[in-house]
Amino acid sequence: MTKVVKYPIYPITFAYVNGIFIGLNFKLPVVLMICFAILGFFLLIYLHKKQQKYSFKSSLSLFNLWAIYFVFISLGSLSYHFHNQKIEIENLSQTEFTIKVNEVLKSNTYSHRIYAKLLDYKEKPLILVSFSNQNEKPKEGSVYKLIGSIKEIPESRNLHDFSYKDYLAQKRIHYQIHSNQKVFKIGEQKDLLTFIDELRGSLINRFLDLGYDAKTNGFIEALLFGKKNNLDNDVYEQFKDLGILHVLAVSGMHVVVLFGTIRYSLRLFGIPNKLVNFFLIVFLVVFVLLAGLSGSVVRAALMCLMAMLGTALGSRKETANLMVGSMFLILLIEPNYLFDVGFQLSYLAVFSIVFCYPIIQPFFKTENVVLNFFTEIIGISIAAQIGVFPLSIFYFKQIPLLFLIGNIIAVPLTNLLLIGWFLQLIVSFISMNFASLFTVVLSFAAKLCFNGIEIISTIFSNKLYLVHFNLLQAILLTCLVFCGVWYFYKKTASKIICIFVLIVSFQAISIYRIIQTQKSSEIVLISYFNRLIFLNREGEKLQIFATKDTLINAVQNYKLYHGIEKIAFDSLSNSFELNNKKWLIVDSLGIYPKRQFDVVVLYQNPAIHPERLAKELKPCLVIFHSNNYQNKIDDWILYFDKLKIPYYDMRSKGAFVCDYNSEINCSGVL
């Protein structure tokens, strides 16, 4: 308890984080949370005075801890509430919009994609906008007029798919605009972010002037500035398969490497410490802005600043204290950072290195300086991976099998390239000709990195092990990992009991999931634009009816979620029977047998007359596949509403799911 009193940042941060989670999952009245905060605050003052009177007795410290918890859990919940008030757009029939580009995303085959502010509203809500890539590529700060349609961000289309709606909600984006027509640029509204984007663009262009090819320049752009818009797809996929994608994201590691390089270089020239600290602070602020305020970069920069402050004040600086303190400050300003995957993995990796590496370090220590450099990379990579792999499985559903080999090649080379390109950029402002002399060497090092990763990716066919954990399993496994490491610091019986309880709990949840899968059976019609795919699952047996025997992401996610090892592919005919129900697919030809079917699927915009179809087939349910045009579906809905025949619109609702125990009848009950 004395440690809690000595370092109150730990219970404060823990309570504040809990408050943010409560704000996310429970919509508690604001007045109630304010009352809790005020009550806890006065209780904290009262207990503090009592502690002063009784010389900080431990019994009072426990009550003091609870008071801190009440205050900051309330503040966390209130902070999340006030930062995430949804701006409702009532007129969804609006077709003309004025937008200001806030951030440019990577374009796809057909469209440019951006985050933009909707200037038609006083609150200027942030929205997702996509328009034809026949238009010029947008720039941050540009103001456009466009004609299109606006709607809410839809839910995920299929079971267990990544929820883009939830992801954008954490960025306070709830609506999207899509336009197929030409957009018109009507002006610019420049601000700090626009200035930063222009500065970033001019710095990136300097590397083009230095003679780098497009592939290498895209790599530089990702490594130095955190922008992957122009990153080569093959490079991205190879780094992803090897589990070293973190190398391509501007992260805390990059900040620390450049921070150390600048400090060493300035001190080498005999510059006074105060001036060195000034340059370092300027660098950290500029670099954070250039990196787009990435959570991991903000964390690393803030930790560096706090360490510098601690050194200047002569106080003891511990990495764990700096880490927790920086987390609290960041979440105090922006609570939504807590839900950023990079932010979570970054903190977990640092904590894992600080906590786990001292235990395994003796196994990676050698007398040889050169060999020691590589063994330390291996040790640190293992330590970081130990902490983050449960959460990585939860988010990415995979375990990279070659992360050690990938890190041994990529980390040293990318660190050297990062330092080299950073110094080359600085030198280019003095002399472009002199700076360009280093292009040949750095280009060779970059190609060496690309080729090394490509060779490993080619040699090993099995690069990933796919697995699925739910959130509770990920939390329990994370606790188990750190509890196991904690045991080696000081071996006690209580820690063994704790490890045993965690193992049993994890196994119990895993067994429960298996039992639930074995007990249930269902039919799923996957929502996929160009394909018709039926899943028929009876317990752990999965049968796929499709025109091609290939696994798309939606099927792969479904298979992983239920822990299904083997699947059977069958060809799909226009009429078949599943679970004693007769199914019929009516495709673009619009031809069908004139007899009764329980379920009719309309696919590829068939030219049918709804009244005639209803009379001849007498369906209990009609399903509109997401492949159909929206205007067709709207017409069908009018008819089937009139005929009082139940229907299911996959375009708006996503995948169709029917449990074996449910009944499909003419009342529309599923």
Side-chain angles (χ1 to χ4, degrees), residues 345-395:
L345 294 177
S346 172
Y347 269 100
L348 203 54
V350 172
F351 181 75
S352 184
I353 291 169
V354 171
F355 188 62
C356 302
Y357 187 59
I359 297 296
I360 65 175
Q361 188 177 18
F363 299 100
F364 298 94
K365 202 78 175 173
T366 63
E367 297 296 329
N368 188 292
V369 177
V370 177
L371 186 62
N372 190 66
F373 174 76
F374 289 100
T375 54
E376 281 197 346
I377 289 174
I378 295 171
I380 291 171
S381 297
I382 290 174
Q385 207 71 23
I386 285 171
V388 303
F389 96 89
L391 203 61
S392 297
I393 294 172
F394 172 69
Y395 282 119

Short mmCIF file of all heavy atoms in Angstrom, two decimals, residues 345-395:
data_model
loop_
_atom_site.label_atom_id
_atom_site.label_comp_id
_atom_site.label_asym_id
_atom_site.label_seq_id
_atom_site.Cartn_x
_atom_site.Cartn_y
_atom_site.Cartn_z
N LEU A 345 -0.98 -1.84 -28.33
CA LEU A 345 0.16 -2.73 -28.55
C LEU A 345 1.47 -2.05 -28.19
O LEU A 345 2.40 -2.69 -27.70
CB LEU A 345 0.18 -3.20 -30.01
CG LEU A 345 -0.98 -4.09 -30.45
CD1 LEU A 345 -0.87 -4.41 -31.94
CD2 LEU A 345 -1.03 -5.38 -29.65
N SER A 346 1.55 -0.75 -28.43
CA SER A 346 2.76 -0.01 -28.12
C SER A 346 3.04 -0.03 -26.61
O SER A 346 4.16 -0.33 -26.18
CB SER A 346 2.62 1.44 -28.62
OG SER A 346 3.70 2.22 -28.18
N TYR A 347 2.04 0.29 -25.82
CA TYR A 347 2.22 0.30 -24.36
C TYR A 347 2.48 -1.10 -23.83
O TYR A 347 3.32 -1.30 -22.94
CB TYR A 347 1.00 0.91 -23.66
CG TYR A 347 1.13 2.40 -23.46
CD1 TYR A 347 0.53 3.29 -24.33
CD2 TYR A 347 1.90 2.91 -22.42
CE1 TYR A 347 0.67 4.66 -24.16
CE2 TYR A 347 2.05 4.28 -22.24
CZ TYR A 347 1.43 5.15 -23.12
OH TYR A 347 1.59 6.50 -22.95
N LEU A 348 1.77 -2.06 -24.37
CA LEU A 348 1.95 -3.44 -23.91
C LEU A 348 3.35 -3.95 -24.25
O LEU A 348 3.98 -4.66 -23.45
CB LEU A 348 0.88 -4.33 -24.55
CG LEU A 348 0.53 -5.64 -23.84
CD1 LEU A 348 0.14 -5.38 -22.39
CD2 LEU A 348 -0.60 -6.34 -24.56
N ALA A 349 3.86 -3.58 -25.43
CA ALA A 349 5.20 -4.00 -25.84
C ALA A 349 6.27 -3.39 -24.94
O ALA A 349 7.21 -4.07 -24.51
CB ALA A 349 5.44 -3.61 -27.29
N VAL A 350 6.13 -2.09 -24.64
CA VAL A 350 7.10 -1.43 -23.77
C VAL A 350 7.07 -2.03 -22.37
O VAL A 350 8.11 -2.33 -21.77
CB VAL A 350 6.83 0.09 -23.70
CG1 VAL A 350 7.73 0.75 -22.65
CG2 VAL A 350 7.08 0.73 -25.05
N PHE A 351 5.86 -2.23 -21.85
CA PHE A 351 5.73 -2.83 -20.52
C PHE A 351 6.33 -4.23 -20.51
O PHE A 351 7.00 -4.63 -19.54
CB PHE A 351 4.26 -2.88 -20.11
CG PHE A 351 4.04 -3.47 -18.75
CD1 PHE A 351 4.32 -2.74 -17.61
CD2 PHE A 351 3.56 -4.77 -18.60
CE1 PHE A 351 4.14 -3.29 -16.34
CE2 PHE A 351 3.38 -5.32 -17.35
CZ PHE A 351 3.66 -4.57 -16.21
N SER A 352 6.10 -4.97 -21.58
CA SER A 352 6.62 -6.34 -21.66
C SER A 352 8.15 -6.34 -21.70
O SER A 352 8.79 -7.18 -21.05
CB SER A 352 6.06 -7.03 -22.90
OG SER A 352 6.46 -8.37 -22.96
N ILE A 353 8.74 -5.41 -22.45
CA ILE A 353 10.20 -5.32 -22.51
C ILE A 353 10.78 -4.96 -21.14
O ILE A 353 11.75 -5.57 -20.67
CB ILE A 353 10.63 -4.29 -23.58
CG1 ILE A 353 10.30 -4.82 -24.99
CG2 ILE A 353 12.13 -4.00 -23.48
CD1 ILE A 353 10.43 -3.78 -26.08
N VAL A 354 10.17 -3.97 -20.49
CA VAL A 354 10.64 -3.53 -19.17
C VAL A 354 10.49 -4.64 -18.14
O VAL A 354 11.37 -4.87 -17.30
CB VAL A 354 9.86 -2.27 -18.72
CG1 VAL A 354 10.17 -1.93 -17.26
CG2 VAL A 354 10.19 -1.10 -19.62
N PHE A 355 9.38 -5.39 -18.21
CA PHE A 355 9.06 -6.38 -17.18
C PHE A 355 9.68 -7.74 -17.47
O PHE A 355 10.18 -8.41 -16.56
CB PHE A 355 7.53 -6.50 -17.09
CG PHE A 355 7.04 -7.34 -15.95
CD1 PHE A 355 7.31 -6.98 -14.64
CD2 PHE A 355 6.32 -8.50 -16.18
CE1 PHE A 355 6.86 -7.76 -13.57
CE2 PHE A 355 5.86 -9.29 -15.14
CZ PHE A 355 6.14 -8.91 -13.83
N CYS A 356 9.66 -8.15 -18.74
CA CYS A 356 10.08 -9.52 -19.09
C CYS A 356 11.56 -9.63 -19.48
O CYS A 356 12.19 -10.66 -19.21
CB CYS A 356 9.22 -10.05 -20.25
SG CYS A 356 7.46 -10.09 -19.92
N TYR A 357 12.10 -8.59 -20.13
CA TYR A 357 13.46 -8.72 -20.66
C TYR A 357 14.52 -8.97 -19.59
O TYR A 357 15.45 -9.76 -19.81
CB TYR A 357 13.82 -7.49 -21.51
CG TYR A 357 15.15 -7.65 -22.22
CD1 TYR A 357 15.36 -8.69 -23.11
CD2 TYR A 357 16.20 -6.76 -21.99
CE1 TYR A 357 16.57 -8.85 -23.76
CE2 TYR A 357 17.41 -6.91 -22.64
CZ TYR A 357 17.59 -7.96 -23.52
OH TYR A 357 18.79 -8.12 -24.15
N PRO A 358 14.43 -8.33 -18.41
CA PRO A 358 15.44 -8.62 -17.37
C PRO A 358 15.51 -10.10 -16.98
O PRO A 358 16.57 -10.59 -16.59
CB PRO A 358 14.98 -7.77 -16.18
CG PRO A 358 14.25 -6.63 -16.80
CD PRO A 358 13.54 -7.23 -17.98
N ILE A 359 14.39 -10.82 -17.11
CA ILE A 359 14.37 -12.25 -16.76
C ILE A 359 15.10 -13.09 -17.80
O ILE A 359 15.84 -14.02 -17.47
CB ILE A 359 12.91 -12.74 -16.60
CG1 ILE A 359 12.22 -12.00 -15.45
CG2 ILE A 359 12.85 -14.25 -16.37
CD1 ILE A 359 12.81 -12.25 -14.09
N ILE A 360 14.89 -12.75 -19.08
CA ILE A 360 15.47 -13.57 -20.15
C ILE A 360 16.80 -13.00 -20.67
O ILE A 360 17.47 -13.65 -21.48
CB ILE A 360 14.48 -13.72 -21.33
CG1 ILE A 360 14.21 -12.37 -22.00
CG2 ILE A 360 13.18 -14.36 -20.86
CD1 ILE A 360 13.34 -12.47 -23.24
N GLN A 361 17.18 -11.82 -20.21
CA GLN A 361 18.40 -11.17 -20.73
C GLN A 361 19.66 -12.02 -20.60
O GLN A 361 20.47 -12.06 -21.53
CB GLN A 361 18.61 -9.82 -20.03
CG GLN A 361 19.74 -9.00 -20.64
CD GLN A 361 19.88 -7.65 -19.97
OE1 GLN A 361 19.39 -7.42 -18.86
NE2 GLN A 361 20.55 -6.71 -20.64
N PRO A 362 19.88 -12.73 -19.45
CA PRO A 362 21.11 -13.54 -19.33
C PRO A 362 21.28 -14.58 -20.45
O PRO A 362 22.40 -14.94 -20.78
CB PRO A 362 20.93 -14.23 -17.96
CG PRO A 362 20.04 -13.31 -17.19
CD PRO A 362 19.10 -12.74 -18.20
N PHE A 363 20.16 -15.05 -21.02
CA PHE A 363 20.23 -16.05 -22.09
C PHE A 363 20.68 -15.45 -23.43
O PHE A 363 21.00 -16.18 -24.36
CB PHE A 363 18.88 -16.74 -22.27
CG PHE A 363 18.41 -17.46 -21.04
CD1 PHE A 363 17.47 -16.89 -20.19
CD2 PHE A 363 18.92 -18.72 -20.71
CE1 PHE A 363 17.04 -17.56 -19.05
CE2 PHE A 363 18.49 -19.38 -19.57
CZ PHE A 363 17.56 -18.81 -18.74
N PHE A 364 20.67 -14.11 -23.53
CA PHE A 364 21.00 -13.45 -24.80
C PHE A 364 22.21 -12.53 -24.67
O PHE A 364 22.44 -11.68 -25.51
CB PHE A 364 19.78 -12.66 -25.30
CG PHE A 364 18.59 -13.50 -25.59
CD1 PHE A 364 17.60 -13.69 -24.62
CD2 PHE A 364 18.45 -14.15 -26.80
CE1 PHE A 364 16.51 -14.48 -24.88
CE2 PHE A 364 17.35 -14.94 -27.06
CZ PHE A 364 16.38 -15.12 -26.10
N LYS A 365 22.96 -12.71 -23.60
CA LYS A 365 24.14 -11.90 -23.36
C LYS A 365 25.37 -12.67 -23.80
O LYS A 365 25.59 -13.81 -23.38
CB LYS A 365 24.24 -11.56 -21.87
CG LYS A 365 25.09 -10.33 -21.57
CD LYS A 365 24.32 -9.07 -21.87
CE LYS A 365 25.14 -7.85 -21.44
NZ LYS A 365 24.51 -6.59 -21.85
N THR A 366 26.20 -12.07 -24.68
CA THR A 366 27.43 -12.71 -25.13
C THR A 366 28.60 -11.73 -24.98
O THR A 366 28.40 -10.52 -24.86
CB THR A 366 27.32 -13.16 -26.60
OG1 THR A 366 27.15 -12.00 -27.42
CG2 THR A 366 26.17 -14.12 -26.81
N GLU A 367 29.79 -12.27 -25.02
CA GLU A 367 30.99 -11.44 -24.88
C GLU A 367 31.30 -10.71 -26.18
O GLU A 367 31.84 -9.61 -26.17
CB GLU A 367 32.19 -12.32 -24.48
CG GLU A 367 32.03 -13.01 -23.13
CD GLU A 367 31.97 -12.00 -21.98
OE1 GLU A 367 32.60 -10.92 -22.10
OE2 GLU A 367 31.29 -12.27 -20.97
N ASN A 368 30.99 -11.33 -27.31
CA ASN A 368 31.26 -10.73 -28.61
C ASN A 368 30.31 -9.55 -28.86
O ASN A 368 29.09 -9.70 -28.80
CB ASN A 368 31.08 -11.78 -29.71
CG ASN A 368 31.54 -11.27 -31.07
OD1 ASN A 368 30.92 -10.39 -31.64
ND2 ASN A 368 32.63 -11.86 -31.56
N VAL A 369 30.87 -8.36 -29.14
CA VAL A 369 30.07 -7.14 -29.29
C VAL A 369 29.11 -7.24 -30.47
O VAL A 369 27.93 -6.89 -30.37
CB VAL A 369 30.98 -5.90 -29.45
CG1 VAL A 369 30.15 -4.64 -29.67
CG2 VAL A 369 31.88 -5.74 -28.25
N VAL A 370 29.63 -7.71 -31.62
CA VAL A 370 28.79 -7.81 -32.82
C VAL A 370 27.68 -8.83 -32.62
O VAL A 370 26.51 -8.58 -32.92
CB VAL A 370 29.65 -8.19 -34.06
CG1 VAL A 370 28.76 -8.36 -35.29
CG2 VAL A 370 30.72 -7.14 -34.30
N LEU A 371 28.03 -10.00 -32.11
CA LEU A 371 27.04 -11.05 -31.86
C LEU A 371 26.03 -10.61 -30.82
O LEU A 371 24.84 -10.91 -30.92
CB LEU A 371 27.75 -12.33 -31.42
CG LEU A 371 26.88 -13.58 -31.26
CD1 LEU A 371 26.24 -13.96 -32.60
CD2 LEU A 371 27.70 -14.75 -30.71
N ASN A 372 26.52 -9.87 -29.82
CA ASN A 372 25.64 -9.39 -28.75
C ASN A 372 24.56 -8.45 -29.29
O ASN A 372 23.43 -8.44 -28.81
CB ASN A 372 26.46 -8.69 -27.67
CG ASN A 372 25.64 -8.38 -26.44
OD1 ASN A 372 25.20 -9.29 -25.73
ND2 ASN A 372 25.41 -7.11 -26.18
N PHE A 373 24.92 -7.67 -30.33
CA PHE A 373 23.96 -6.75 -30.94
C PHE A 373 22.76 -7.52 -31.49
O PHE A 373 21.60 -7.14 -31.27
CB PHE A 373 24.65 -5.97 -32.06
CG PHE A 373 23.72 -5.10 -32.87
CD1 PHE A 373 23.25 -3.91 -32.37
CD2 PHE A 373 23.31 -5.49 -34.15
CE1 PHE A 373 22.39 -3.10 -33.12
CE2 PHE A 373 22.46 -4.71 -34.90
CZ PHE A 373 22.00 -3.50 -34.39
N PHE A 374 23.03 -8.64 -32.19
CA PHE A 374 21.95 -9.43 -32.78
C PHE A 374 21.20 -10.25 -31.73
O PHE A 374 19.98 -10.39 -31.82
CB PHE A 374 22.51 -10.34 -33.88
CG PHE A 374 22.94 -9.61 -35.10
CD1 PHE A 374 24.28 -9.30 -35.33
CD2 PHE A 374 22.01 -9.20 -36.04
CE1 PHE A 374 24.67 -8.61 -36.47
CE2 PHE A 374 22.39 -8.52 -37.19
CZ PHE A 374 23.73 -8.22 -37.40
N THR A 375 21.93 -10.77 -30.74
CA THR A 375 21.24 -11.56 -29.71
C THR A 375 20.32 -10.68 -28.86
O THR A 375 19.26 -11.13 -28.42
CB THR A 375 22.26 -12.27 -28.80
OG1 THR A 375 23.18 -11.31 -28.25
CG2 THR A 375 23.02 -13.34 -29.55
N GLU A 376 20.72 -9.42 -28.66
CA GLU A 376 19.85 -8.50 -27.91
C GLU A 376 18.59 -8.17 -28.70
O GLU A 376 17.51 -8.03 -28.12
CB GLU A 376 20.60 -7.22 -27.56
CG GLU A 376 21.53 -7.37 -26.36
CD GLU A 376 21.94 -6.04 -25.78
OE1 GLU A 376 21.73 -5.00 -26.45
OE2 GLU A 376 22.48 -6.03 -24.66
N ILE A 377 18.72 -8.04 -30.02
CA ILE A 377 17.54 -7.83 -30.86
C ILE A 377 16.57 -9.00 -30.71
O ILE A 377 15.36 -8.82 -30.57
CB ILE A 377 17.94 -7.65 -32.34
CG1 ILE A 377 18.64 -6.31 -32.54
CG2 ILE A 377 16.71 -7.74 -33.26
CD1 ILE A 377 19.19 -6.11 -33.94
N ILE A 378 17.14 -10.22 -30.73
CA ILE A 378 16.31 -11.42 -30.57
C ILE A 378 15.63 -11.40 -29.20
O ILE A 378 14.42 -11.65 -29.08
CB ILE A 378 17.16 -12.70 -30.73
CG1 ILE A 378 17.71 -12.80 -32.15
CG2 ILE A 378 16.34 -13.94 -30.40
CD1 ILE A 378 18.72 -13.91 -32.35
N GLY A 379 16.42 -11.09 -28.16
CA GLY A 379 15.87 -11.08 -26.79
C GLY A 379 14.78 -10.05 -26.62
O GLY A 379 13.71 -10.34 -26.05
N ILE A 380 15.01 -8.84 -27.13
CA ILE A 380 14.01 -7.77 -27.00
C ILE A 380 12.77 -8.11 -27.83
O ILE A 380 11.64 -7.86 -27.40
CB ILE A 380 14.63 -6.42 -27.43
CG1 ILE A 380 15.68 -5.98 -26.41
CG2 ILE A 380 13.55 -5.35 -27.57
CD1 ILE A 380 16.49 -4.78 -26.84
N SER A 381 12.97 -8.68 -29.02
CA SER A 381 11.83 -9.07 -29.87
C SER A 381 10.97 -10.12 -29.17
O SER A 381 9.74 -10.05 -29.19
CB SER A 381 12.32 -9.62 -31.21
OG SER A 381 13.00 -8.64 -31.94
N ILE A 382 11.63 -11.10 -28.54
CA ILE A 382 10.90 -12.14 -27.81
C ILE A 382 10.15 -11.53 -26.63
O ILE A 382 8.97 -11.83 -26.39
CB ILE A 382 11.85 -13.25 -27.34
CG1 ILE A 382 12.36 -14.06 -28.54
CG2 ILE A 382 11.16 -14.18 -26.34
CD1 ILE A 382 13.42 -15.08 -28.19
N ALA A 383 10.83 -10.64 -25.89
CA ALA A 383 10.19 -10.00 -24.73
C ALA A 383 8.96 -9.21 -25.15
O ALA A 383 7.91 -9.28 -24.49
CB ALA A 383 11.20 -9.10 -24.03
N ALA A 384 9.09 -8.44 -26.24
CA ALA A 384 7.94 -7.66 -26.72
C ALA A 384 6.82 -8.57 -27.19
O ALA A 384 5.64 -8.33 -26.91
CB ALA A 384 8.39 -6.74 -27.85
N GLN A 385 7.19 -9.66 -27.91
CA GLN A 385 6.19 -10.57 -28.46
C GLN A 385 5.46 -11.32 -27.35
O GLN A 385 4.27 -11.62 -27.48
CB GLN A 385 6.86 -11.56 -29.41
CG GLN A 385 5.96 -12.11 -30.49
CD GLN A 385 5.62 -11.09 -31.55
OE1 GLN A 385 6.35 -10.13 -31.74
NE2 GLN A 385 4.51 -11.28 -32.23
N ILE A 386 6.16 -11.61 -26.25
CA ILE A 386 5.54 -12.30 -25.12
C ILE A 386 4.33 -11.52 -24.62
O ILE A 386 3.27 -12.09 -24.33
CB ILE A 386 6.56 -12.50 -23.97
CG1 ILE A 386 7.55 -13.61 -24.32
CG2 ILE A 386 5.86 -12.83 -22.65
CD1 ILE A 386 8.71 -13.73 -23.36
N GLY A 387 4.50 -10.21 -24.51
CA GLY A 387 3.41 -9.40 -23.97
C GLY A 387 2.29 -9.11 -24.94
O GLY A 387 1.13 -9.05 -24.53
N VAL A 388 2.62 -8.93 -26.22
CA VAL A 388 1.60 -8.47 -27.16
C VAL A 388 0.87 -9.59 -27.88
O VAL A 388 -0.18 -9.34 -28.49
CB VAL A 388 2.20 -7.50 -28.21
CG1 VAL A 388 2.86 -6.31 -27.55
CG2 VAL A 388 3.16 -8.21 -29.14
N PHE A 389 1.41 -10.83 -27.83
CA PHE A 389 0.80 -11.84 -28.70
C PHE A 389 -0.64 -12.21 -28.34
O PHE A 389 -1.44 -12.48 -29.24
CB PHE A 389 1.71 -13.08 -28.81
CG PHE A 389 1.41 -14.22 -27.89
CD1 PHE A 389 0.54 -15.21 -28.28
CD2 PHE A 389 2.03 -14.32 -26.65
CE1 PHE A 389 0.26 -16.27 -27.45
CE2 PHE A 389 1.76 -15.37 -25.81
CZ PHE A 389 0.87 -16.36 -26.20
N PRO A 390 -1.08 -12.20 -27.04
CA PRO A 390 -2.51 -12.47 -26.80
C PRO A 390 -3.42 -11.42 -27.44
O PRO A 390 -4.45 -11.75 -28.03
CB PRO A 390 -2.63 -12.44 -25.27
CG PRO A 390 -1.24 -12.72 -24.77
CD PRO A 390 -0.34 -12.08 -25.76
N LEU A 391 -3.01 -10.15 -27.31
CA LEU A 391 -3.82 -9.08 -27.90
C LEU A 391 -3.72 -9.09 -29.42
O LEU A 391 -4.69 -8.78 -30.12
CB LEU A 391 -3.36 -7.72 -27.34
CG LEU A 391 -4.39 -6.58 -27.41
CD1 LEU A 391 -5.63 -6.95 -26.59
CD2 LEU A 391 -3.79 -5.28 -26.88
N SER A 392 -2.56 -9.47 -29.95
CA SER A 392 -2.39 -9.57 -31.40
C SER A 392 -3.31 -10.64 -31.98
O SER A 392 -3.90 -10.47 -33.05
CB SER A 392 -0.94 -9.91 -31.76
OG SER A 392 -0.07 -8.89 -31.35
N ILE A 393 -3.43 -11.76 -31.26
CA ILE A 393 -4.33 -12.83 -31.71
C ILE A 393 -5.77 -12.33 -31.72
O ILE A 393 -6.53 -12.59 -32.65
CB ILE A 393 -4.19 -14.07 -30.82
CG1 ILE A 393 -2.80 -14.69 -30.99
CG2 ILE A 393 -5.26 -15.11 -31.15
CD1 ILE A 393 -2.50 -15.80 -30.01
N PHE A 394 -6.14 -11.59 -30.68
CA PHE A 394 -7.51 -11.08 -30.58
C PHE A 394 -7.84 -10.16 -31.76
O PHE A 394 -8.92 -10.25 -32.34
CB PHE A 394 -7.69 -10.33 -29.26
CG PHE A 394 -9.00 -9.60 -29.14
CD1 PHE A 394 -10.19 -10.30 -29.02
CD2 PHE A 394 -9.05 -8.22 -29.18
CE1 PHE A 394 -11.41 -9.63 -28.93
CE2 PHE A 394 -10.25 -7.54 -29.08
CZ PHE A 394 -11.43 -8.25 -28.95
N TYR A 395 -6.90 -9.29 -32.12
CA TYR A 395 -7.17 -8.32 -33.19
C TYR A 395 -6.94 -8.90 -34.58
O TYR A 395 -7.72 -8.66 -35.50
CB TYR A 395 -6.29 -7.08 -33.01
CG TYR A 395 -6.78 -6.13 -31.94
CD1 TYR A 395 -6.01 -5.84 -30.83
CD2 TYR A 395 -8.03 -5.53 -32.05
CE1 TYR A 395 -6.46 -4.97 -29.85
CE2 TYR A 395 -8.50 -4.66 -31.08
CZ TYR A 395 -7.71 -4.38 -29.98
OH TYR A 395 -8.17 -3.53 -29.01
#
